[in-house]
Amino acid sequence: PAFAVAPVHRRLFGSFVEHMGRCVYTGIYEPDHPSADADGLRGDVLDLITELGPTMVRYPGGNFVSGYRWEDGVGPKEDRPVRRELAWHSTETNQFGLDEFMRWARGLDIEPMMAVNLGTRGIQEALDLHEYANHPGGTALSDLRAANGSPDPHAIRMWCLGNEMDGPWQLGHKTAREYGRLAAETARALRTAEPGLELVACGSSGRSMPTFGAWEAEVLGECYDEVDFVSLHAYYEEHDGDLRSFLAAPADMDRFIEEVVATADHVGARRKSSKRIMLSFDEWNVWYLSRFHREQAENPPSDWPVAPRVIEDRYSVADAVVVGGMLNSLLRHADRVTAASQAQLVNVIAPIMTEPGGRAWRQSIFHPFARTAAAARGRVLRVEPSAPRHDTALYGEVSLLDAAATHDPESGRAALFLVNRSTDTPMEVSADLRGLDGVAAASALTLSDDDVYAANTADDPDRVVLKENKDVRLDGGRLTAVLPPVSWTCVELAGPTPA
């Protein structure tokens, strides 16, 4: 326990709600649903979100934000305009907006992370949104918020300065210099309005972007002194049946994080600054992006539907194991990754699925997220596992064991998060726990299945669940466990019994 990486930041267990597909409409918000409350929020979804345990939610996008007029989504619903939504080629009714989102978030004790439109808009609109959301009162927009039913400020602390501005698909796409200057100017303006804000500059949309590295260096060269975070986005999928590479995807996530840290620190060194930029990994997940692009090419959108079914990927055991490994990567880098958002929360590449007017259920990826968010407490410990390694086509040589650990000195509780990347062989793991003074008992839950592509559905919502791992022993301060192939396991260790 002396070798601690950093505290377990609760913001690591964030999520993402974008006005995309059915994430909002018939996802979290469906006034006609039998379980809906007075605000139109689905009660069954609220219960599942509480169980999942997200601590922070990024809103309202995503690509959506780069064409969004926030003021369309406030005030009397009958007066709100219906707009074309260009990012996802749909129709936005604006029946759910900032005030509804804030009531939803506060009701769940979720911290909001607000994104501003720096695609088609800019500094003034960001200031207007901040005045509406955070100013106490006595000004035109803060008084409008009060008139709209929210007399107290929303007190949003963390703000994203645009979204994926390096991407040619983004409305208002900019060069690194153009965006860096705009981010710096917007940040200075927002800090003039409220000095204590935490601000996130857009990093690369992915490690494979041709501008990756150079983008971060040039953007931070313009706004290093004005921002607190730089963002990272990463999605992974299994390609052409290459399960071995897919299970190794979190190793690529490790490299991505370490390269962004190195780039940010190089900018700081050039500036002779003692400041350290933190990382906000505010989009991450398994996403079958190639399938989405193929479907878009084969069936290009021809109309402007409301809340269409978009990227509603069905997740398997293998997908959940990779998600567990990605959570390990975030924990391992908690000294610099201090905020993260799994994309997205409901229906759209999501741990929670719904049917309009009908059922809601947990996808396989729900389970490692919920268990890690619940069990990871205290400090992240440095773990250097000794394990066999194997080659992968996409990510080179990787360890067959992916491991992370946390320890809470106050309670004495600890947790190990273990992934067996072997596609066909169980793994016996041992860990020396004598340094964790007084660990008294161990229990473990494992996600695995003989069919690594098994998935949950509305008709079979518990096909993939966590199950007790009975092959875990604690004897004389040494833990032993057997991990099935293609599995994720959470071992929880109880602290000493009070005298």
Side-chain angles (χ1 to χ4, degrees):
F3 295 96
V5 175
V8 178
H9 303 287
R10 300 318 302 164
R11 283 176 170 175
L12 286 179
F13 306 108
S15 190
F16 179 30
V17 166
E18 180 173 2
H19 284 244
M20 175 186 181
R22 298 194 307 114
C23 185
V24 173
Y25 303 110
T26 72
I28 65 175
Y29 177 78
E30 189 178 355
D32 294 332
H33 192 271
S35 72
D37 64 13
D39 290 323
L41 303 172
R42 284 185 59 150
D44 55 352
V45 174
L46 289 172
D47 290 342
L48 288 175
I49 294 170
T50 299
E51 181 184 343
L52 183 69
T55 53
M56 180 174 66
V57 167
R58 180 170 174 247
Y59 176 84
N63 295 348
F64 171 83
V65 78
S66 291
Y68 184 47
R69 292 180 255 196
W70 66 268
E71 59 271 33
D72 288 348
V74 301
K77 292 189 177 185
E78 62 272 18
D79 296 336
R80 297 183 189 181
V82 175
R83 302 282 191 191
R84 293 177 305 173
E85 201 292 289
L86 299 180
W88 304 110
H89 203 89
S90 58
T91 295
E92 174 56 52
T93 66
N94 285 303
Q95 292 300 290
F96 187 95
L98 174 59
D99 293 321
E100 287 83 12
F101 170 75
M102 289 305 306
R103 284 195 292 273
W104 171 85
R106 296 306 187 200
L108 290 165
D109 194 26
I110 287 173
E111 180 184 1
M113 182 200 299
M114 184 61 55
V116 301
N117 178 356
L118 294 188
T120 59
R121 310 188 89 180
I123 301 169
Q124 186 59 60
E125 290 82 359
L127 287 172
D128 288 348
L129 173 57
H130 176 269
E131 180 185 329
Y132 183 92
N134 279 21
H135 195 71
T139 65
L141 291 174
S142 61
D143 287 350
L144 178 61
R145 180 197 68 239
N148 288 336
S150 299
D152 295 327
H154 291 317
I156 302 168
R157 183 172 177 80
M158 196 167 184
W159 297 72
C160 299
L161 303 175
N163 174 75
E164 292 187 354
M165 299 308 297
D166 64 323
W169 58 84
Q170 200 73 202
L171 291 176
H173 164 62
K174 293 173 174 57
T175 66
R177 179 171 173 78
E178 289 169 339
Y179 169 70
R181 289 195 63 186
L182 178 57
E185 292 161 359
T186 307
R188 280 191 288 268
L190 287 169
R191 290 199 193 283
T192 300
E194 186 176 350
L197 299 178
E198 297 178 64
L199 304 178
V200 185
C202 290
S204 292
S205 305
R207 187 170 179 254
S208 62
M209 291 293 291
T211 54
F212 169 58
W215 172 272
E216 282 80 359
E218 192 163 358
V219 166
L220 290 175
E222 296 287 342
C223 66
Y224 191 93
D225 294 333
E226 317 302 334
V227 301
D228 306 288
F229 296 83
V230 63
S231 71
L232 300 82
H233 293 176
Y235 296 101
Y236 297 96
E237 63 181 296
E238 183 179 344
H239 294 279
D240 302 320
D242 186 2
L243 179 59
R244 179 182 286 203
S245 289
F246 181 44
L247 294 170
D252 185 75
M253 192 173 181
D254 289 336
R255 295 176 192 133
F256 188 13
I257 292 168
E258 289 154 14
E259 289 161 355
V260 173
V261 167
T263 304
D265 286 352
H266 175 63
V267 175
R270 289 202 332 253
R271 303 172 74 88
K272 298 179 174 59
S273 174
S274 60
K275 176 181 178 179
R276 290 291 176 265
I277 295 290
M278 295 294 117
L279 275 56
S280 174
F281 216 127
D282 49 39
E283 287 189 33
W284 68 269
N285 206 347
V286 170
W287 176 9
Y288 286 86
L289 185 57
S290 59
R291 181 192 304 159
F292 171 67
H293 286 157
R294 184 172 62 251
E295 291 170 352
Q296 289 283 293
E298 293 172 353
N299 299 289
S302 58
D303 56 3
W304 298 84
V306 174
R309 292 180 181 268
V310 177
I311 59 169
E312 297 191 5
D313 286 356
R314 189 180 75 161
Y315 287 119
S316 69
V317 170
D319 297 326
V321 171
V322 172
V323 164
M326 296 174 83
L327 287 160
N328 282 359
S329 181
L330 296 175
L331 287 170
R332 276 193 292 272
H333 297 93
D335 57 330
R336 297 301 290 271
V337 181
T338 58
S341 299
Q342 186 187 43
Q344 295 183 19
L345 183 58
V346 185
N347 287 326
V348 177
I349 50 171
I352 298 169
M353 293 297 296
T354 72
E355 283 298 328
R359 296 168 287 186
W361 67 97
R362 307 166 190 82
Q363 292 235 63
S364 65
I365 66 171
F366 182 104
H367 299 294
F369 187 104
R371 196 69 241 133
T372 305
R377 289 289 187 271
R379 303 176 300 172
V380 182
L381 302 185
R382 180 176 172 180
V383 177
E384 297 287 349
S386 174
R389 301 174 68 82
H390 69 182
D391 286 322
T392 66
L394 293 181
Y395 306 119
E397 188 179 80
V398 299
S399 172
L400 286 173
L401 175 64
D402 182 12
T406 61
H407 176 240
D408 182 1
E410 292 188 8
S411 67
R413 298 179 65 85
L416 303 178
F417 306 98
L418 308 171
V419 172
N420 181 2
R421 289 176 171 148
S422 173
T423 59
D424 54 17
T425 306
M427 177 185 294
E428 184 172 333
V429 174
S430 64
D432 186 351
L433 305 181
R434 288 174 294 178
L436 303 179
D437 187 35
V439 168
S443 61
L445 294 170
T446 292
L447 189 145
S448 68
D449 197 277
D450 291 339
D451 178 4
V452 298
Y453 298 109
N456 294 336
T457 64
D459 291 331
D460 193 1
D462 296 320
R463 171 67 179 84
V464 179
V465 295
L466 294 172
K467 298 177 182 177
E468 181 185 359
N469 187 324
K470 297 181 180 180
D471 294 319
V472 173
R473 301 286 184 272
L474 181 62
D475 183 16
R478 180 167 292 278
L479 177 85
T480 58
V482 178
L483 311 179
V486 191
S487 66
W488 177 87
T489 296
C490 173
V491 181
E492 294 188 67
L493 304 161
T497 303

